[in-house]
Amino acid sequence: MNQKTQMTKQILAESLKKLLLHHSFEKITIKDITDAAGFIRPTFYNHFKDKYDLVEWIFTEEVIRPGEQLFDVGLFREGIRLMLANMEKEKDFYVRAVKIQGQNSFRDIVFQSFVTLIQKVFAKRTPFPETVPHFFRPEILAEYYANAETFLLMKWLESGMPISAEEVEKAHWSLITVSFEDVVKEVSGEEKENR
């Protein structure tokens, strides 16, 4: 992507972010976005099909791509940490974006982005044999983990991001590396009783 295209997309993204501070997403029009950016409407459509596409681009550029670069070299925890920190930097946008509902909801954008990211990780790092059991096929695993990632992010955003990205990352890491059985034991105090 050339630098001018990237710059235009970034200006449109910043325009939407500013508008979202004062208006609900549903009320913001393409004309509002282009007027605030100093562009004409056709400029928007040269880069995005609709405002949902713009939201997806923002999430991909700010969250998914930076994390993916770390995932590519096996730094999964660091990738998640960076993704969360980038969202925290743009808190005003993300606590409003999470309210986007309907057919192209923000939740759907997040989920599909994570499915794609996780599938890429599997494709690059793990050869799956044809005989792999059904629930361990890469497309099933990608959806499973994408659902978990999406759920955690949505809860954090819907509650207004009351805890730091660092705290979310620590909780996230615990949840994905500790078994359900161990969580039940820890929460119930069963583990302490057995010591």
Side-chain angles (χ1 to χ4, degrees):
M1 186 181 328
N2 71 38
Q3 194 172 1
K4 184 178 180 189
T5 297
Q6 189 70 15
M7 180 70 87
T8 301
K9 287 182 171 187
Q10 193 60 51
I11 291 168
L12 290 166
E14 292 305 319
S15 175
L16 174 61
K17 286 179 181 183
K18 286 178 185 167
L19 288 165
L20 205 52
L21 292 174
H22 306 289
H23 308 284
S24 71
F25 183 78
E26 294 72 29
K27 299 224 190 254
I28 297 171
T29 66
I30 302 302
K31 185 172 180 352
D32 294 334
I33 296 168
T34 55
D35 284 353
F39 294 134
I40 56 175
R41 281 175 49 117
T43 302
F44 182 92
Y45 291 110
N46 287 337
H47 302 286
F48 302 105
K49 62 183 177 202
D50 55 30
K51 60 187 182 177
Y52 298 95
D53 193 29
L54 174 54
V55 171
E56 182 176 348
W57 183 84
I58 293 169
F59 184 71
T60 299
E61 290 299 306
E62 291 181 352
V63 179
I64 296 296
R65 279 200 210 294
E68 184 176 1
Q69 291 172 355
L70 292 170
F71 280 31
D72 282 348
V73 294
L75 299 173
F76 301 111
R77 187 169 187 179
E78 292 80 356
I80 294 293
R81 188 178 299 136
L82 179 60
M83 291 171 156
L84 293 167
N86 286 351
M87 291 182 78
E88 190 173 46
K89 285 180 199 168
E90 294 291 334
K91 179 178 179 176
D92 289 338
F93 171 71
Y94 287 105
V95 295
R96 287 168 175 78
V98 76
K99 295 175 184 168
I100 299 170
Q101 299 296 318
Q103 186 176 357
N104 298 308
S105 70
F106 186 69
R107 186 201 183 290
D108 291 343
I109 289 169
V110 170
F111 175 73
Q112 281 306 323
S113 297
F114 276 119
V115 166
T116 302
L117 174 61
I118 295 165
Q119 286 175 335
K120 285 180 183 178
V121 169
F122 287 148
K124 287 179 184 175
R125 299 181 56 90
T126 312
F128 282 82
E130 293 293 322
T131 57
V132 70
H134 177 77
F135 285 112
F136 290 90
R137 292 192 341 239
E139 64 275 11
I140 302 283
L141 290 174
E143 284 191 38
Y144 178 82
Y145 287 109
N147 267 307
E149 299 297 335
T150 302
F151 176 81
L152 193 64
L153 270 185
M154 297 305 285
K155 288 297 178 189
W156 186 44
L157 296 174
E158 288 167 351
S159 62
M161 300 169 89
I163 61 174
S164 72
E166 185 178 335
E167 290 174 272
V168 175
E169 185 276 324
K170 285 178 185 172
H172 167 270
W173 196 251
S174 292
L175 289 170
I176 65 166
T177 58
V178 176
S179 74
F180 178 72
E181 184 179 357
D182 290 340
V183 169
V184 171
K185 286 178 183 176
E186 178 69 29
V187 170
S188 68
E190 190 177 316
E191 206 167 85
K192 292 174 187 165
E193 292 171 14
N194 291 334
R195 289 184 191 159

